[in-house]
Amino acid sequence: MNRREFGKLGLAAGMASVAGIPLGLQRAAGQTRGGTLSTIIHPEPAMLVSAISQLQPTLTVGGKIYESLLRYDFDLKPIPGLAQSWTVSPDGLTYTFKLFPNITFHDGKPLTADDVIFSMTKILPETHARARPIFTRIESAEAPDPLTVVFKLKSPFSPFLGAFDCTTAPILPKHIYEGTDFKTNPANDKAIGCGPFKLKEWVRGSHIHLVKHEGYYRAGEPHIDEIIYRVIPDAAARSVALEQGTVKLTQWSDIEQYDVARLTKLPHLDMTTKGYEYFAPHLWLELNNRIAPMNDKRFRQAVMYAIDRKALLQRVYFGLGKIATGPISSKTRFYEKNVKQYEYSPDKAKALLDEMGLKPGADGKRITVPFLVTPSGELYRRVAEFLRQSLLRVGIDLQFEGTDVAGWIQKVSNWEYSMTTNLVYQLGDPAIGVSRTYISSNIRKGIMFSNTAGYANPEADRLFEEAATATSDEKRQELYSAVQKIVVEDVPIVWLLEQDFPTFTDKKLKNVTTTAIGVHETFGAVRFE
């Protein structure tokens, strides 16, 4: 039995167990509204409240449940979300947002400016790693009326308007969360937002069932009646489900890279890599800079030289991406290409290791380093194997450590690791998605997607802060160019790839990828024909 045949058996068994849930996209002939969208969520999220968990599966499902003030087009320019309009004062300190009327939460209570202020100033600074350094810049927040929010900043912060997508700044109901422990509030299991879909049922290990929010504020939306996110752990079964039409949409890492070319040729499917512009995912090898030998810049540079990233891109990722050159993606603003280059050179790697005194033994090994394998599917295991083979050629022996998703998060966020891989979003502006990984003020134990590597360079801190507060793009480019050169020289992180992801849709499914956050969008406009 080959891999695909095994996948078909697994798929049939899994789907048969989900009693009463439609398979695929259902509607009557000629019908223009309604129906069920069947898709995949992989891996299964630990929770659905995107203000508390920022892992990709939570954000994918949570984007249908929660909304924020703005959305962003493919050029990362803001467009209306919950806010129908906004203004910025000439001094760049005061931001005024006007909300759409008649917005309600899924429990029927109205959403007002007070909910926005509460979310931005109370919940997110406590629970959201990347939101904290943004919204702690707010000096005051006022609600002149129920539909108007006024934020006054302590100092200018140029990318402030880029921080209001549903993954960075979801709005939660104040009447449910005020005065509670946000992370343990019982309402977290109900995931009450204001988006076009609300949670009906979550059967762990099987599916997440969302149904339309009848009180949604945008007239005529959502077009479809419900979304079924199916939990399908096996990669072959996920491909078969898409190939056979059992599911009509896949996203992110649902489809393994080696299957993309084959599935792209199928006549009933469309594929795009658009819709990830806001995230611009950066794949890297993370090193704990606090412990030897990772605390020595020469070792980190040696690791950069030792990895054939072109081979990684072609053999493991099948060309879906681009080699990364530093902390800022070439797909986003303020990228600097003129930085130190780390070509593939085992000889340079060995010379640096020799200089450190890490001489090879009789077996050719210089040092053994624990490697925490990222538990997010088969792809990360293949990446780990590739890295082990690469580093062993220069005498660095990686010893794999396994864990589940919760254990991986705990170990990395609490700095209990030596090396691991991670995929981190750029989020439209370096001040939002990049600096958080490198500024010393964001070394926060227990907080994932902060500066978990423990990198600290006062000059980098200064440049990142000045770039965030500069008011002209020319000055910001100058500052970000300078800090990229410093960070690339220090190599706190081994940058691997600017990763591309395929979104597959059935040709009958429309309006899936309409903004820079793609499948994380609300899906209010999604329909089929």
Side-chain angles (χ1 to χ4, degrees), residues 37 74 248-251 272 274-275 503-506 509-515 517-523 525-527:
L37 169 59
F74 293 120
K248 304 295 184 180
L249 164 68
T250 62
Q251 55 257 305
T272 182
K274 290 189 68 174
T503 296
F504 281 97
T505 57
D506 188 281
L509 190 62
K510 305 299 180 182
N511 297 337
V512 170
T513 303
T514 58
T515 73
I517 68 169
V519 294
H520 285 186
E521 260 296 353
T522 65
F523 277 21
V526 167
R527 61 180 176 83

mmCIF file of all heavy atoms in Angstrom, residues 37 74 248-251 272 274-275 503-506 509-515 517-523 525-527:
data_model
loop_
_atom_site.group_PDB
_atom_site.id
_atom_site.type_symbol
_atom_site.label_atom_id
_atom_site.label_comp_id
_atom_site.label_asym_id
_atom_site.label_seq_id
_atom_site.Cartn_x
_atom_site.Cartn_y
_atom_site.Cartn_z
ATOM 1 N N LEU A 37 -18.736 25.471 4.186
ATOM 2 C CA LEU A 37 -17.362 25.366 3.742
ATOM 3 C C LEU A 37 -16.625 24.381 4.639
ATOM 4 O O LEU A 37 -16.531 24.579 5.847
ATOM 5 C CB LEU A 37 -16.670 26.732 3.808
ATOM 6 C CG LEU A 37 -15.145 26.735 3.623
ATOM 7 C CD1 LEU A 37 -14.769 26.141 2.276
ATOM 8 C CD2 LEU A 37 -14.583 28.138 3.777
ATOM 9 N N PHE A 74 -3.148 44.413 -0.195
ATOM 10 C CA PHE A 74 -1.927 43.675 -0.523
ATOM 11 C C PHE A 74 -0.680 44.554 -0.463
ATOM 12 O O PHE A 74 0.441 44.040 -0.374
ATOM 13 C CB PHE A 74 -2.049 43.024 -1.901
ATOM 14 C CG PHE A 74 -3.081 41.929 -1.960
ATOM 15 C CD1 PHE A 74 -4.161 42.016 -2.831
ATOM 16 C CD2 PHE A 74 -2.994 40.825 -1.132
ATOM 17 C CE1 PHE A 74 -5.118 41.013 -2.886
ATOM 18 C CE2 PHE A 74 -3.950 39.818 -1.171
ATOM 19 C CZ PHE A 74 -5.019 39.915 -2.056
ATOM 20 N N LYS A 248 -12.566 21.984 0.625
ATOM 21 C CA LYS A 248 -12.498 22.927 -0.481
ATOM 22 C C LYS A 248 -11.429 23.997 -0.297
ATOM 23 O O LYS A 248 -11.263 24.843 -1.183
ATOM 24 C CB LYS A 248 -13.865 23.611 -0.656
ATOM 25 C CG LYS A 248 -15.026 22.654 -0.860
ATOM 26 C CD LYS A 248 -14.904 21.891 -2.168
ATOM 27 C CE LYS A 248 -16.130 21.007 -2.399
ATOM 28 N NZ LYS A 248 -16.049 20.261 -3.661
ATOM 29 N N LEU A 249 -10.718 23.935 0.800
ATOM 30 C CA LEU A 249 -9.727 24.956 1.082
ATOM 31 C C LEU A 249 -8.635 24.377 1.973
ATOM 32 O O LEU A 249 -8.926 23.675 2.948
ATOM 33 C CB LEU A 249 -10.395 26.143 1.796
ATOM 34 C CG LEU A 249 -9.490 27.142 2.517
ATOM 35 C CD1 LEU A 249 -8.647 27.922 1.513
ATOM 36 C CD2 LEU A 249 -10.322 28.089 3.372
ATOM 37 N N THR A 250 -7.382 24.662 1.637
ATOM 38 C CA THR A 250 -6.254 24.360 2.519
ATOM 39 C C THR A 250 -5.371 25.594 2.592
ATOM 40 O O THR A 250 -5.350 26.422 1.672
ATOM 41 C CB THR A 250 -5.427 23.163 2.028
ATOM 42 O OG1 THR A 250 -4.873 23.460 0.743
ATOM 43 C CG2 THR A 250 -6.274 21.902 1.974
ATOM 44 N N GLN A 251 -4.642 25.734 3.701
ATOM 45 C CA GLN A 251 -3.843 26.925 3.922
ATOM 46 C C GLN A 251 -2.583 26.602 4.712
ATOM 47 O O GLN A 251 -2.422 25.503 5.222
ATOM 48 C CB GLN A 251 -4.655 27.974 4.688
ATOM 49 C CG GLN A 251 -5.249 27.493 6.010
ATOM 50 C CD GLN A 251 -6.725 27.184 5.917
ATOM 51 O OE1 GLN A 251 -7.496 28.036 5.511
ATOM 52 N NE2 GLN A 251 -7.136 25.987 6.298
ATOM 53 N N THR A 272 -2.618 29.829 -4.859
ATOM 54 C CA THR A 272 -1.956 31.117 -4.801
ATOM 55 C C THR A 272 -1.046 31.161 -3.575
ATOM 56 O O THR A 272 -1.297 30.465 -2.585
ATOM 57 C CB THR A 272 -2.977 32.272 -4.728
ATOM 58 O OG1 THR A 272 -2.266 33.519 -4.726
ATOM 59 C CG2 THR A 272 -3.825 32.180 -3.460
ATOM 60 N N LYS A 274 -0.439 34.306 -2.551
ATOM 61 C CA LYS A 274 -0.829 35.629 -2.057
ATOM 62 C C LYS A 274 -1.587 35.462 -0.731
ATOM 63 O O LYS A 274 -2.077 34.397 -0.399
ATOM 64 C CB LYS A 274 -1.714 36.350 -3.073
ATOM 65 C CG LYS A 274 -0.993 36.791 -4.330
ATOM 66 C CD LYS A 274 -1.879 37.686 -5.176
ATOM 67 C CE LYS A 274 -2.135 39.025 -4.507
ATOM 68 N NZ LYS A 274 -2.885 39.961 -5.370
ATOM 69 N N GLY A 275 -1.681 36.574 -0.008
ATOM 70 C CA GLY A 275 -2.423 36.557 1.241
ATOM 71 C C GLY A 275 -1.551 36.345 2.458
ATOM 72 O O GLY A 275 -2.066 36.194 3.574
ATOM 73 N N THR A 503 -2.014 28.435 -0.800
ATOM 74 C CA THR A 503 -3.433 28.353 -0.450
ATOM 75 C C THR A 503 -4.157 27.714 -1.627
ATOM 76 O O THR A 503 -4.170 28.272 -2.731
ATOM 77 C CB THR A 503 -4.026 29.745 -0.175
ATOM 78 O OG1 THR A 503 -3.387 30.310 0.971
ATOM 79 C CG2 THR A 503 -5.525 29.649 0.095
ATOM 80 N N PHE A 504 -4.720 26.536 -1.410
ATOM 81 C CA PHE A 504 -5.494 25.845 -2.435
ATOM 82 C C PHE A 504 -6.979 26.079 -2.190
ATOM 83 O O PHE A 504 -7.453 25.971 -1.052
ATOM 84 C CB PHE A 504 -5.221 24.340 -2.400
ATOM 85 C CG PHE A 504 -3.935 23.924 -3.060
ATOM 86 C CD1 PHE A 504 -2.791 23.714 -2.296
ATOM 87 C CD2 PHE A 504 -3.871 23.741 -4.433
ATOM 88 C CE1 PHE A 504 -1.597 23.325 -2.896
ATOM 89 C CE2 PHE A 504 -2.687 23.340 -5.035
ATOM 90 C CZ PHE A 504 -1.549 23.134 -4.268
ATOM 91 N N THR A 505 -7.697 26.391 -3.254
ATOM 92 C CA THR A 505 -9.157 26.532 -3.161
ATOM 93 C C THR A 505 -9.820 25.809 -4.322
ATOM 94 O O THR A 505 -9.269 25.738 -5.426
ATOM 95 C CB THR A 505 -9.586 28.009 -3.207
ATOM 96 O OG1 THR A 505 -9.081 28.613 -4.410
ATOM 97 C CG2 THR A 505 -9.080 28.778 -1.999
ATOM 98 N N ASP A 506 -10.978 25.283 -4.044
ATOM 99 C CA ASP A 506 -11.821 24.769 -5.121
ATOM 100 C C ASP A 506 -12.208 25.943 -6.014
ATOM 101 O O ASP A 506 -12.433 27.051 -5.538
ATOM 102 C CB ASP A 506 -13.069 24.109 -4.534
ATOM 103 C CG ASP A 506 -13.888 23.400 -5.587
ATOM 104 O OD1 ASP A 506 -14.622 24.088 -6.320
ATOM 105 O OD2 ASP A 506 -13.811 22.161 -5.669
ATOM 106 N N LEU A 509 -15.051 28.218 -5.096
ATOM 107 C CA LEU A 509 -14.954 29.030 -3.885
ATOM 108 C C LEU A 509 -14.322 30.370 -4.225
ATOM 109 O O LEU A 509 -13.233 30.424 -4.804
ATOM 110 C CB LEU A 509 -14.120 28.288 -2.849
ATOM 111 C CG LEU A 509 -14.084 28.846 -1.429
ATOM 112 C CD1 LEU A 509 -15.472 28.837 -0.814
ATOM 113 C CD2 LEU A 509 -13.118 28.041 -0.577
ATOM 114 N N LYS A 510 -14.976 31.463 -3.844
ATOM 115 C CA LYS A 510 -14.531 32.799 -4.232
ATOM 116 C C LYS A 510 -14.266 33.671 -3.001
ATOM 117 O O LYS A 510 -14.802 33.440 -1.925
ATOM 118 C CB LYS A 510 -15.591 33.480 -5.113
ATOM 119 C CG LYS A 510 -15.998 32.671 -6.340
ATOM 120 C CD LYS A 510 -14.820 32.409 -7.273
ATOM 121 C CE LYS A 510 -15.236 31.604 -8.499
ATOM 122 N NZ LYS A 510 -14.088 31.299 -9.383
ATOM 123 N N ASN A 511 -13.438 34.699 -3.222
ATOM 124 C CA ASN A 511 -13.155 35.742 -2.222
ATOM 125 C C ASN A 511 -12.445 35.219 -0.977
ATOM 126 O O ASN A 511 -12.632 35.759 0.119
ATOM 127 C CB ASN A 511 -14.446 36.466 -1.793
ATOM 128 C CG ASN A 511 -15.108 37.196 -2.936
ATOM 129 O OD1 ASN A 511 -14.464 37.539 -3.930
ATOM 130 N ND2 ASN A 511 -16.400 37.426 -2.814
ATOM 131 N N VAL A 512 -11.615 34.213 -1.137
ATOM 132 C CA VAL A 512 -10.856 33.698 0.002
ATOM 133 C C VAL A 512 -9.669 34.601 0.305
ATOM 134 O O VAL A 512 -9.445 34.997 1.455
ATOM 135 C CB VAL A 512 -10.387 32.251 -0.265
ATOM 136 C CG1 VAL A 512 -9.394 31.800 0.804
ATOM 137 C CG2 VAL A 512 -11.585 31.313 -0.284
ATOM 138 N N THR A 513 -8.902 34.938 -0.725
ATOM 139 C CA THR A 513 -7.706 35.756 -0.538
ATOM 140 C C THR A 513 -7.980 37.153 -1.068
ATOM 141 O O THR A 513 -7.877 37.406 -2.272
ATOM 142 C CB THR A 513 -6.497 35.129 -1.258
ATOM 143 O OG1 THR A 513 -6.301 33.798 -0.781
ATOM 144 C CG2 THR A 513 -5.231 35.928 -1.006
ATOM 145 N N THR A 514 -8.346 38.057 -0.174
ATOM 146 C CA THR A 514 -8.738 39.416 -0.574
ATOM 147 C C THR A 514 -7.892 40.500 0.085
ATOM 148 O O THR A 514 -7.961 41.656 -0.323
ATOM 149 C CB THR A 514 -10.214 39.666 -0.223
ATOM 150 O OG1 THR A 514 -10.405 39.480 1.181
ATOM 151 C CG2 THR A 514 -11.127 38.717 -0.991
ATOM 152 N N THR A 515 -7.107 40.146 1.105
ATOM 153 C CA THR A 515 -6.273 41.124 1.797
ATOM 154 C C THR A 515 -4.912 40.507 2.107
ATOM 155 O O THR A 515 -4.671 39.323 1.841
ATOM 156 C CB THR A 515 -6.910 41.593 3.119
ATOM 157 O OG1 THR A 515 -6.813 40.551 4.095
ATOM 158 C CG2 THR A 515 -8.359 41.994 2.932
ATOM 159 N N ILE A 517 -3.737 39.565 4.841
ATOM 160 C CA ILE A 517 -3.707 38.517 5.857
ATOM 161 C C ILE A 517 -4.427 37.256 5.375
ATOM 162 O O ILE A 517 -4.578 36.300 6.138
ATOM 163 C CB ILE A 517 -4.270 38.982 7.213
ATOM 164 C CG1 ILE A 517 -5.771 39.250 7.145
ATOM 165 C CG2 ILE A 517 -3.530 40.195 7.726
ATOM 166 C CD1 ILE A 517 -6.397 39.449 8.512
ATOM 167 N N GLY A 518 -4.852 37.243 4.125
ATOM 168 C CA GLY A 518 -5.323 36.029 3.476
ATOM 169 C C GLY A 518 -6.333 35.217 4.261
ATOM 170 O O GLY A 518 -7.421 35.701 4.603
ATOM 171 N N VAL A 519 -5.964 33.972 4.588
ATOM 172 C CA VAL A 519 -6.890 33.045 5.233
ATOM 173 C C VAL A 519 -7.152 33.390 6.697
ATOM 174 O O VAL A 519 -7.984 32.751 7.339
ATOM 175 C CB VAL A 519 -6.378 31.592 5.140
ATOM 176 C CG1 VAL A 519 -6.379 31.130 3.693
ATOM 177 C CG2 VAL A 519 -4.984 31.467 5.754
ATOM 178 N N HIS A 520 -6.471 34.382 7.239
ATOM 179 C CA HIS A 520 -6.793 34.846 8.591
ATOM 180 C C HIS A 520 -7.927 35.859 8.579
ATOM 181 O O HIS A 520 -8.375 36.293 9.633
ATOM 182 C CB HIS A 520 -5.560 35.477 9.245
ATOM 183 C CG HIS A 520 -4.559 34.468 9.692
ATOM 184 N ND1 HIS A 520 -3.437 34.798 10.408
ATOM 185 C CD2 HIS A 520 -4.506 33.131 9.528
ATOM 186 C CE1 HIS A 520 -2.731 33.708 10.674
ATOM 187 N NE2 HIS A 520 -3.364 32.689 10.134
ATOM 188 N N GLU A 521 -8.375 36.245 7.390
ATOM 189 C CA GLU A 521 -9.456 37.206 7.285
ATOM 190 C C GLU A 521 -10.775 36.645 7.838
ATOM 191 O O GLU A 521 -10.879 35.459 8.171
ATOM 192 C CB GLU A 521 -9.654 37.622 5.825
ATOM 193 C CG GLU A 521 -9.024 38.947 5.471
ATOM 194 C CD GLU A 521 -9.628 40.133 6.216
ATOM 195 O OE1 GLU A 521 -10.636 39.986 6.925
ATOM 196 O OE2 GLU A 521 -9.052 41.226 6.098
ATOM 197 N N THR A 522 -11.778 37.504 7.896
ATOM 198 C CA THR A 522 -13.065 37.151 8.515
ATOM 199 C C THR A 522 -13.844 36.113 7.719
ATOM 200 O O THR A 522 -14.662 35.392 8.284
ATOM 201 C CB THR A 522 -13.941 38.398 8.637
ATOM 202 O OG1 THR A 522 -14.285 38.879 7.329
ATOM 203 C CG2 THR A 522 -13.235 39.497 9.413
ATOM 204 N N PHE A 523 -13.639 36.067 6.398
ATOM 205 C CA PHE A 523 -14.398 35.210 5.472
ATOM 206 C C PHE A 523 -15.857 35.646 5.354
ATOM 207 O O PHE A 523 -16.699 34.887 4.855
ATOM 208 C CB PHE A 523 -14.329 33.731 5.878
ATOM 209 C CG PHE A 523 -13.077 33.030 5.396
ATOM 210 C CD1 PHE A 523 -11.940 33.741 5.044
ATOM 211 C CD2 PHE A 523 -13.019 31.643 5.303
ATOM 212 C CE1 PHE A 523 -10.785 33.115 4.614
ATOM 213 C CE2 PHE A 523 -11.872 31.002 4.861
ATOM 214 C CZ PHE A 523 -10.753 31.739 4.517
ATOM 215 N N ALA A 525 -16.938 37.762 3.279
ATOM 216 C CA ALA A 525 -17.216 37.916 1.854
ATOM 217 C C ALA A 525 -17.053 36.621 1.070
ATOM 218 O O ALA A 525 -17.345 36.586 -0.128
ATOM 219 C CB ALA A 525 -16.294 38.985 1.261
ATOM 220 N N VAL A 526 -16.592 35.548 1.706
ATOM 221 C CA VAL A 526 -16.399 34.279 1.003
ATOM 222 C C VAL A 526 -17.738 33.740 0.525
ATOM 223 O O VAL A 526 -18.739 33.762 1.252
ATOM 224 C CB VAL A 526 -15.698 33.256 1.921
ATOM 225 C CG1 VAL A 526 -15.788 31.855 1.328
ATOM 226 C CG2 VAL A 526 -14.245 33.648 2.132
ATOM 227 N N ARG A 527 -17.744 33.270 -0.701
ATOM 228 C CA ARG A 527 -18.969 32.688 -1.266
ATOM 229 C C ARG A 527 -18.559 31.609 -2.263
ATOM 230 O O ARG A 527 -17.379 31.378 -2.510
ATOM 231 C CB ARG A 527 -19.798 33.763 -1.970
ATOM 232 C CG ARG A 527 -19.070 34.428 -3.133
ATOM 233 C CD ARG A 527 -19.915 35.492 -3.807
ATOM 234 N NE ARG A 527 -19.154 36.162 -4.856
ATOM 235 C CZ ARG A 527 -18.997 35.702 -6.079
ATOM 236 N NH1 ARG A 527 -19.559 34.539 -6.434
ATOM 237 N NH2 ARG A 527 -18.303 36.368 -6.977
#
